Amino acid sequence: MKIVLLGPPGAGKGTQAKSISNKYSIPHISTGDIFRYNITQMTPLGIEAKKYMDKGQLVPDDLTIDLIKDRLTQEDCKNGYLLDGYPRTVAQAESLKNALEANNEKLDCALLIDVPREFILDRMTGRRVCPSCGASYHIKYNPPKNGVNCDECGNEVIQRADDTASTVNNRLDVYEKQTSPLVEYYKGENQLLVVDGTQSINDVFKQICEKIEAI
Ligand code: AP5
Ligand code: MG
Ligand code: ZN
């Protein structure tokens, strides 16, 4: 199964991706997580990406497209994958489509987690993430069991560098301008599925499974 997760910052893509990836045994590939890992390792890619991410802007297409092309050829992707945060521009979507078509393949769906803007700031400023495994928590809606350490791996959870109110607003503007056209794009490809992302984490997951299983 090949799935693209769409949705604004804070929609719950990372949160749902963990559960989808476990249930359907497909790797969760998050371009944001890959960039953040490269930042902690201070690789040339990380140093370049950080300049954009700190401002809430998109990392340029050429860097991102090459990164994903390479990742999708790895062994664990041969039975499918779940893309979280990619594609984010029409150019990225076209590149993905061309790469798939070259192998006579196509996406199973692009799943939009629909959350209106007024919900987002509260979700982002309350978010805590595990710097080691990428798990996402929320101080009110989904706190780690002991309040400070990741349930999965025990590392202390932290606030993401780009989760300040001003950067979040900028990321939302960037989403509306550069990424939201993908909703129409995937509608046109007959691949769009939409779930209501304002429900509880468990209820959103239920909707997602129902949609996927009805394909
Ligand atoms: P990325 O890491 O992809 O960030 P994003 O798209 O801004 O999305 P988030 O990770 O912030 O939100 P999410 O939807 O995963 O929400 P989460 O599950 O954590 O990208 C970061 C940056 O990297 C970009 O700005 C860009 O610079 C660069 N980048 C990445 N990909 C790129 C690309 N393809 N091209 C160019 N640049 C790229 O949930 C949020 C919070 O809400 C959590 O606290 C969670 O616990 C809580 N929550 C989740 N669901 C619910 C619910 N149902 N009810 C209540 N709370 C909930
Ligand atoms: Mg995420
Ligand atoms: Zn962890």
Side-chain angles (χ1 to χ4, degrees):
M1 195 148 39
K2 299 183 189 68
I3 304 177
V4 159
L5 273 184
L6 285 177
K13 301 181 296 296
T15 302
Q16 298 298 335
K18 294 259 175 230
S19 308
I20 300 169
S21 157
N22 282 338
K23 177 157 179 172
Y24 297 101
S25 303
I26 45 175
H28 166 206
I29 300 174
S30 154
T31 37
D33 287 350
I34 296 173
F35 289 136
R36 281 184 287 277
Y37 176 76
N38 276 273
I39 290 172
T40 61
Q41 302 299 305
M42 293 198 295
T43 66
L45 176 68
I47 291 165
E48 187 60 21
K50 189 174 183 333
K51 293 184 204 160
Y52 300 91
M53 291 171 73
D54 281 350
K55 289 186 248 166
Q57 294 168 355
L58 294 185
V59 178
D61 277 342
D62 52 349
L63 292 178
T64 314
I65 286 174
D66 285 348
L67 175 79
I68 282 292
K69 265 196 190 149
D70 181 57
R71 179 67 185 86
L72 298 186
T73 60
Q74 289 175 20
E75 185 61 21
D76 63 336
C77 291
K78 70 178 190 311
N79 293 323
Y81 41 77
L82 175 65
L83 289 172
D84 160 9
Y86 186 94
R88 245 180 161 96
T89 61
V90 172
Q92 292 179 13
E94 286 288 342
S95 154
L96 177 63
K97 185 180 170 189
N98 292 338
L100 284 164
E101 278 179 358
N103 294 324
N104 268 329
E105 293 173 342
K106 65 179 186 61
L107 286 178
D108 292 271
C109 63
L111 194 80
L112 170 67
I113 306 180
D114 192 22
V115 179
R117 191 164 174 147
E118 60 267 25
F119 282 76
I120 304 282
L121 194 61
D122 174 44
R123 286 199 184 180
M124 307 301 264
T125 47
R127 171 164 59 184
R128 298 293 180 272
V129 295
C130 172
S132 170
C133 74
S136 212
Y137 299 92
H138 192 283
I139 49 174
K140 265 192 287 185
Y141 309 123
N142 181 29
K145 287 200 182 85
N146 77 0
V148 279
N149 298 97
C150 175
D151 296 346
E152 310 286 327
C153 69
N155 268 282
E156 200 168 321
V157 298
I158 56 164
Q159 199 158 13
R160 239 168 72 172
D162 58 350
D163 275 352
T164 60
S166 69
T167 312
V168 168
N169 275 317
N170 197 25
R171 284 160 60 200
L172 286 165
D173 290 342
V174 167
Y175 174 79
E176 263 159 41
K177 218 159 134 198
Q178 294 181 264
T179 307
S180 70
L182 292 181
V183 174
E184 284 306 311
Y185 176 90
Y186 283 116
K187 214 185 263 176
E189 298 284 315
N190 261 330
Q191 289 171 325
L192 186 72
L193 300 177
V194 185
V195 296
D196 173 6
T198 65
Q199 309 286 309
S200 71
I201 293 174
N202 284 341
D203 286 346
V204 176
F205 185 55
K206 266 191 222 146
Q207 292 180 60
I208 291 176
C209 296
E210 281 167 17
K211 297 269 177 180
I212 289 178
E213 281 153 32
I215 295 174

